[in-house]
Amino acid sequence: MKTPSTDKKHKTVVVLLHHPVTNRKGETVATSITNMDLHDISRTCRTYEIDHYYLVSPVVDHQELVSKIIDHWKKGSQAEWHPDRAEALSRAKVLSSFQDVKDELKGLYPDLALEVLMPDARPLPNQLSYSEAREKWENEEKSGIKVVVLGTGWGVAPEFYSEVHTYLGPVYGPLGANGYNHLSVRAAAAIILDRLFSSQK
Ligand SMILES: C[S@@+](CC[C@H](N)C(=O)[O-])C[C@H]1O[C@@H](n2cnc3c(N)ncnc32)[C@H](O)[C@@H]1O
């Protein structure tokens, strides 16, 4: 069911972390995987030719439930009646930890170096804008894997930051840093992938 990606220079992967993320008190927690995040981000990934969408959760009940939902849409009459949905969900997979994501990618693409990118709603030092990231990728000599990590809850917990190679800047509306800044992760994923991969102006 998986269709081949367009011939991009780098392979891009999307990761949605459900742990380690923070709650409203700043504590590190594991959040629940939502059906909306599963379906909507899978479809966005399919639209932008992303082959792998990993939902990371250490909660075994959630892993089993979400794997069952993915299988439900990928197989049998559901796949026949909803082929576009099956095609989108065929790139979604639940894994227990970010280490598992890295191990899986190493197994699939042993020759490709991995760069972990984390978009953040806050302005941080040394963040790249989306156009800067595009230009940098274009000029890199070697192909690699670009792993775009998104958060749930109140965002990615600080203990994950040591995994990050590159921070990507905030997505702002027309009022810039002074405007409303509370996008859902689904909307953020779509805007970020569009800024990184759209061929349209
Ligand atoms: C903090 S979580 C919120 C999850 C929440 N439960 C929801 O409504 O979807 C949103 C995630 O989307 C991304 N995000 C949200 N707004 C963003 C922005 N303005 N710029 C860059 N990334 C953003 C970040 O990865 C962030 O961790």
Side-chain angles (χ1 to χ4, degrees), residues 98-120:
F98 189 67
Q99 186 59 48
D100 285 357
V101 174
K102 291 193 293 186
D103 291 346
E104 167 139 327
L105 292 172
K106 190 95 203 125
L108 289 171
Y109 311 105
D111 300 331
L112 298 185
L114 201 139
E115 181 183 1
V116 178
L117 299 111
M118 194 182 107
D120 202 298

Side-chain angles (χ1 to χ4, degrees), residues 164-176:
V164 179
H165 300 107
T166 307
Y167 290 92
L168 294 171
V171 168
Y172 288 139
L175 299 181

Side-chain angles (χ1 to χ4, degrees), residues 32 49 90 108 116 145 150 166 170 196:
S32 300
E49 305 290 346
S90 69
L108 289 171
V116 178
I145 309 181
L150 301 166
T166 307
L196 289 174

Side-chain angles (χ1 to χ4, degrees), residues 127-192:
Q127 274 170 329
L128 290 189
S129 70
Y130 295 89
S131 56
E132 285 168 339
R134 277 174 85 133
E135 199 183 327
K136 179 173 168 281
W137 293 3
E138 217 27 69
N139 291 326
E140 282 172 353
E141 275 182 21
K142 283 193 177 166
S143 297
I145 309 181
K146 308 300 179 186
V147 184
V148 178
V149 177
L150 301 166
T152 57
W154 259 249
V156 175
E159 64 220 64
F160 184 80
Y161 298 172
S162 58
E163 297 280 4
V164 179
H165 300 107
T166 307
Y167 290 92
L168 294 171
V171 168
Y172 288 139
L175 299 181
N178 297 322
Y180 182 88
N181 186 1
H182 297 282
L183 285 170
S184 73
V185 69
R186 297 166 299 287
I191 295 167
I192 288 163

Side-chain angles (χ1 to χ4, degrees), residues 8 17 36 42 53 55 78 125 160 165 172 201:
K8 284 189 196 141
L17 281 189
M36 285 187 301
S42 293
Y53 167 36
L55 300 102
Q78 294 303 333
F160 184 80
H165 300 107
Y172 288 139
K201 275 272 172 204

Side-chain angles (χ1 to χ4, degrees), residues 41-114:
I41 297 178
S42 293
R43 291 163 73 158
T44 301
C45 284
R46 175 62 193 97
T47 303
Y48 290 91
E49 305 290 346
I50 307 293
D51 287 337
H52 305 283
Y53 167 36
Y54 295 109
L55 300 102
V56 169
S57 169
V59 182
V60 175
D61 278 359
H62 293 189
Q63 293 167 17
E64 288 173 358
L65 179 65
V66 175
S67 300
K68 218 168 153 184
I69 294 171
I70 294 171
D71 276 353
H72 168 81
W73 288 105
K74 268 170 37 180
K75 289 181 186 158
S77 58
Q78 294 303 333
E80 268 173 46
W81 278 94
H82 305 282
D84 295 343
R85 188 174 294 264
E87 187 179 330
L89 285 169
S90 69
R91 64 215 57 234
K93 184 168 182 181
V94 194
L95 291 175
S96 302
S97 66
F98 189 67
Q99 186 59 48
D100 285 357
V101 174
K102 291 193 293 186
D103 291 346
E104 167 139 327
L105 292 172
K106 190 95 203 125
L108 289 171
Y109 311 105
D111 300 331
L112 298 185
L114 201 139

